[in-house]
Amino acid sequence: MTQLVADKYGIAKALKQLGINEMNFGASTGTVHWNTTGKKVDSYSPADGQYIGSTNQATAEDYEKVMKTAEEAFKVWRMVPAPKRGEVVRQIGDKLREFKEPLGQLVSYEMGKSLQEGLGEVQEMIDICDFAVGLSRQLYGLTMHSERPKHRMYEQYHPLGIVGIISAFNFPVAVWSWNAALAWVCGDVCVWKPSSKVPLCAIACQNIIASVLKANNVPEGVSCVLIGNPVGDMMNNDKRVPLVSFTGSTRVGRIVSGQVAQRFGRSILELGGNNAIIVSEHADLSMVLVGAVFGAVGTAGQRCTSTRRLIVHESVYDKTISVLKNAYGQLKIGNPLDAANHVGPLIDKGAVNDYLNAIEKAKKEGGKVVVEGGVLEGEGYESGCYVKPCIIEAKNEYHIVQEETFAPILYVLKYKTIDEAIAMQNGVPQGLSSSIFTNSMREMEQFLSHEGSDCGIANVNIGTSGAEIGGAFGGEKETGGGRESGSDAWKVYMRRQTNTINYSTSLPLAQGIKFDF
């Protein structure tokens, strides 16, 4: 059965192209891989429940070997001119182009998102490589005028060292690349701990880039992978890792933040989102339909930017509900590798239980189910991870609405004034992504103003998901405050240094201080 399913969707071929087999490694320093003696980690596809492959957790001994290799690699890599480092990243981008199809297929199959989203995730990797190549010639510092004669002041940025990357299951490869591509051109080396739910995607990435690292004589240890949850704690408490980038839940983010801060390290936190779309009375409902439905059901609601709440003006509320019900009735749920399907599975049965519990909690708090949820059974749904996208009329103050449930549940809320809508949008602990659909310039500007959305991302007439790599990605409040990807996010991967040069023959002190002797 496994072979037939794999052949039907081309997975067997993709796995072979990516070097995924029974001898997958548990630790790697770039081109050198080794099997570890830690606990076995099996990967099963939520698409069909079939076994894909396995690896082992890295042990403390493996961790130490990788970290020592990374330390030595940093001493060499930081001395390579930034444009030369950018050239290596350019070649990595080209290699990702070459393997876009099989890697996109693996992302879809191991994680469960649609093939189009899997391919889109690999495209994000390619895009961030392109961005990083240009950045490698633009690691600018400022020059400042000194108050002392014949003095020059300027600032420059230096590489930090080892960057730890802890990524989540929902974006198995893209988030790693956001961090790694920028860190590499900045002169850092990277140690990646992928989610144990999708370890094979990480192994595939290391396999893809190995030939580029070897061809360019990149020192062993610039790109490292360590499998297994215990690695996270080791990295968070390791003073040799000045920066840890963590993507995951708010609960775990608090632990990571505390551990890293305890040793005065830096952290990039990309945590939960409870994203809302405001639907104004001045909105184009045809546009709302596309943005809200994809935002709510894309990746089966397992994006940190997924639309969780729809805040609708009372004058268009009933019509919006009617349009949504009709659209949800046309959704096709099934194997994500089948292009005819809109919605794939949740990552595992634990996520299914969270989904069912959230629906029951919403009902108990007074929520009215508009589109019924439930678990799908029968042919094509053997994994037990397929659920129906659900719509519930609710109130913003419900406890369950205040939480983030990683599932295709959309809460619909009603408002009267734009001030009320913005207050509802902001009235949750998280602050990642937000959106308003309106053709009113006043409402647009208010939404984007100081009194508007309190999120790191605020969109007008597009949904909450689908961020581009050109802008810095991240959010506020319990989302963690981190920023990754575009804009000047690169600065967190470097240490800033202010320099003053005195080219005079005297030594005047700042602030006019006299110190004669």
Side-chain angles (χ1 to χ4, degrees), residues 139-145 152-158 490-491 495-500:
L139 302 175
Y140 301 136
L142 300 174
T143 60
M144 290 77 74
H145 289 282
R152 182 166 70 89
M153 292 179 64
Y154 69 97
E155 66 179 18
Q156 58 182 332
Y157 289 83
H158 297 294
W490 63 271
K491 291 181 178 179
R495 58 182 178 87
R496 186 193 306 238
Q497 184 180 78
T498 300
N499 308 122
T500 305

Side-chain angles (χ1 to χ4, degrees), residues 77 82-97 125-134 136 177 180-186 209 212-213 216 218 222:
W77 185 243
K84 296 293 185 183
R85 299 192 296 253
E87 169 58 18
V88 174
V89 173
R90 184 194 67 77
Q91 293 176 36
I92 288 174
D94 285 345
K95 190 60 68 172
L96 289 168
R97 287 179 172 88
M125 302 175 77
I126 295 167
D127 292 343
I128 197 64
C129 284
D130 288 350
F131 180 90
V133 173
S136 69
S177 70
L182 298 193
W184 286 331
V185 297
C186 288
I209 70 172
V212 174
L213 302 178
N216 288 273
V218 173
V222 167

